[in-house]
Amino acid sequence: MMAAPIESLLNEICESEDPIEELKSLRTAVLATPVSGLRQAVSGARLEIIFGLLNTNDKEQIEVCVEILSRVLQALEPIQLAQNYKTALQSGLNHPNDSVKLLALTQMGRVAGHADGVTQMLNSAEILRDVIQCISVERIAVAKEAIAALSKLSNTKAGLDALFRSDLLNKLKDVMLTNDIIRYRVYELIVEVSTVSPVSLGYCANSGLISQMLEELTGDDVLVRATAIEMVTSLAQSQHGRQYLAQQGIIDKISNMIIAAESDPFSSLYLPGLVKFFGSLAIMDSPQQVCEKYPVFLEVVFSMAINLDPTLTPVALDTLGVLGRTVEGKQVLQKTGEKFTSVLKRMSKVAADGATELRVRCLEALAQLLTLPAIGCQSWAQQLMMDTPGFVEWVMDRSVGTGKEAKDCKFELVGALLSSSSIQEIFGAHNYLKLKTYLNEGPYYVNAVSSVTTEGAD
């Protein structure tokens, strides 16, 4: 239905010397047409007219053209893009305006995610070189789209071969030389590709780029070191990634970095990253294995929780909360005996008089840690809860901690408390009854708000 107006608008644009008004009309027509209708309307349309109008310094004209093309190209199949608009998209990758680059990269990403499209892309190494070059564009959104397109391409063996076994690898390495920020964007791509499968990790490892990234863990620049740790933590999200890091001795290396951090005045810049690395490792593998093999991890977490430091303590509290989510994690903490008790006492003090953000983090971590019946039943733990201002109210307040996990956690804690003989004495009769009501209502009870209107009242 809309094919005729779109076709005639394109003709008008073609004949006009200053087509901005006609372009705006076309934009309106295109946005008003459903994608299915657009598919028919543009199948024979001369989109190259619109691509041609991108070659201008007029920002408004560029903006309108980008909006039209974004909508229209979305209606085309990825293979049509690859066959009919390859040259136009390549020009877009080299356009000085970032929004045109973004448009081209988004469409390239669609092509890269399509089996036949990949073949088309791989036939022109020049386009891929231009996509790689876009990683070095200052604007992060452009770089992210380039990384996403290359990452999709790497889901195929042909794509991996193109990126890592051809001249494109040298192009990646050249782009990395731009500066620290761009180098880390390439590492981001490498980590994304590596997480897909053991095979893709093999390609990345053979390229030498992973070992180069791992060497930066112990570099002189502490900020670069902190970023390297984040990348390694991402690499550890997959099982094959963790195996690789263990084989390369990287997990031991990070443990040694924690030990060495004690004597480094700048360690607060990267120590949180090291702790997060082990925290995520413990959750994905086994808290017991990780804490037994790397005892320094827990020691540092305890010391960070006790020695209040605005950059370190929040990470320690979050890590304790994460460990406290699993029964095994709670048991590991409990085994440390007095050390853990003193940390809990410290946390209850922070929950009472710390800064607001720390108090919230403390309460959340305490809730995770105290849910284990073995702890919730202990009279010292109950006394700790009573001594922590706001804690008992927080447990029974259903308007805070509204996620399913938080609700389950609170309900489990209430159950653990009520199973203890000392609870009535420590919490007092009033709180005891409130807890019983909470338990009877179940974890997901919602307080009904009743509003009564009285007829005739003025």
Side-chain angles (χ1 to χ4, degrees), residues 10 24 70 122 137 139 145 149 163 167 251-253 260 262 271 305 346 350 378 387 390-391 394 406-407 412:
L10 279 165
K24 286 179 179 173
S70 298
L122 297 177
V137 171
R139 191 170 158 201
E145 281 296 337
L163 259 187
D167 194 41
I251 302 176
D252 294 340
K253 192 182 210 174
E262 206 175 342
L271 190 55
R346 180 61 158 169
V350 175
Q378 306 280 337
D387 294 345
F391 186 75
W394 181 82
K407 287 178 179 176
E412 199 183 332

Side-chain angles (χ1 to χ4, degrees), residues 358-389:
L358 270 188
R359 285 181 57 203
V360 171
R361 277 180 140 141
C362 261
L363 288 167
E364 286 179 350
L366 279 169
Q368 298 282 7
L369 294 167
L370 298 172
T371 49
L372 185 68
I375 295 178
C377 303
Q378 306 280 337
S379 55
W380 62 263
Q382 293 164 11
Q383 196 57 58
L384 185 70
M385 293 178 211
M386 277 310 285
D387 294 345
T388 304

Side-chain angles (χ1 to χ4, degrees), residues 115-136:
D116 296 333
V118 169
T119 315
Q120 288 278 342
M121 266 178 98
L122 297 177
N123 287 340
S124 50
E126 207 45 56
I127 284 196
L128 294 176
R129 290 175 72 83
D130 291 339
V131 173
I132 291 171
Q133 188 59 46
C134 284
I135 296 176
S136 68

